[in-house]
Amino acid sequence: MPAKPHVIIVGAGIVGLANALAAQQAGWRVSVFERNHRSLGASVRNFGMFWPIAQKTEFTHRMAMQGRETWVRLAEATGLHLRPCGSLFLAINPDELALMEEFSRHQAAEGLDLEFLGKDETLARSAIANPKRVLGGLYSPHEANIDPREAIAKIADYLNAQDDVEVHFSAPVSRVSGNQVTLSDGRKLEAERIVICQGDDAQQLFPDIMAAQTELRSCKLHMLRSTPFKRDIGPMIASALSLRHYEPFEVCQSFRTYSDRISAEKPEIDRFGIHVMASQSRSGHLVLGDSHQYDLDEPQFDEAQIDEIILRELGELLEPELVVDQRWKGFYQKREGHLAFIHDVDDHTRIFNGLGGSGMTQSFGYAAQLWQDWNNPLLVSGVPG
């Protein structure tokens, strides 16, 4: 029997692990190298939201739902925390309510099953919605809540236990040339394919290529975690500000009126790219956020007021008092106008990057399709949209 072809994947975040799973299922022998002792980047610094409601096109929605099937299988195989809880957008002003109602009608015409809810129905769905402010909401059944800190580690362990997959931590790659990878300890390894899945760190191996990509932007996020909430919160929560953040809602005629009001009344929301959401970890902690600052000259310095704004906006939506026990920053690369950034350095090496905040939602579906059809023009283009 001929030996299986070998792929080396650099990076053990969600994109790297998704490529490892897809490659193994496509019949490849897989080696994953991660420079840290565990995944420490954007893949563990997020809400843990599988979020198909944010997908702009039928194709990207279909890829997301394909990824959902993978998440369910992995949860069954590894015991990772996955709540198929759906999402609930909360309205506290009439123009927000009108926008949600219009979007629900638009999506119904497209055959998607969203529910526009009145106040009582909304409060019945959520254990944390503020009854003094909430007027109604928009519910989607398709979203799922994952605990990213747990999930990434369990997926890596699961893959490492599979035939033909090895996941190596504390194994920095110092150079990639042709079909050869050089590790920091001097070892040189060869593979038919090399896939670079390093997110915001990809510039370390390919600084010139990454710097030349004008569509790629580095984004910094502020996120927080509250003390544990002892009950299941129900659906993951998003505010009406999230309607401004995700492109699908722009189809509504009422979108511009609402968005312009926020810009006029709360310019700090636009300045820091804030919209607010809440998910729940396995331990009951509420994961809260977030902000979006692009292309910062000095990303190491934090604006204290960002966290204050996030908590202010969430305080209007949610009933429990939010006591913060952790704060952190995340960084990722986002490609403007596309779902992803795919770049072939040469015949052996491919950079897979630019998924922005869609990593938990799109990585499994996108990787599976790429490994089924490595040169698919739509996928290699990064899926414009």
Side-chain angles (χ1 to χ4, degrees), residues 89-104:
F89 289 75
L90 299 178
I92 60 174
N93 288 291
D95 56 352
E96 300 169 355
L97 199 64
L99 177 53
M100 292 179 193
E101 182 178 20
E102 182 182 351
F103 187 72
S104 69

Side-chain angles (χ1 to χ4, degrees), residues 19-45:
N19 273 273
L21 177 63
Q24 189 254 357
Q25 292 178 338
W28 288 67
R29 180 168 63 90
V30 183
S31 300
V32 181
F33 293 96
E34 166 59 47
R35 67 186 182 93
N36 295 302
H37 67 285
R38 57 188 172 88
S39 180
L40 298 175
S43 295
V44 297
R45 302 186 186 195

Side-chain angles (χ1 to χ4, degrees), residues 15 28 40 43 103 138 162 191 272 274 329 336 364 368 378:
V15 176
W28 288 67
L40 298 175
S43 295
F103 187 72
L138 180 68
Q162 304 302 302
F272 298 119
I274 290 173
K329 309 300 175 290
E336 294 293 330
F364 285 120
L378 177 62

Side-chain angles (χ1 to χ4, degrees), residues 70-81:
T70 302
W71 275 114
V72 171
R73 289 198 302 271
L74 286 170
E76 293 172 349
T78 68
L80 67 83
H81 175 72

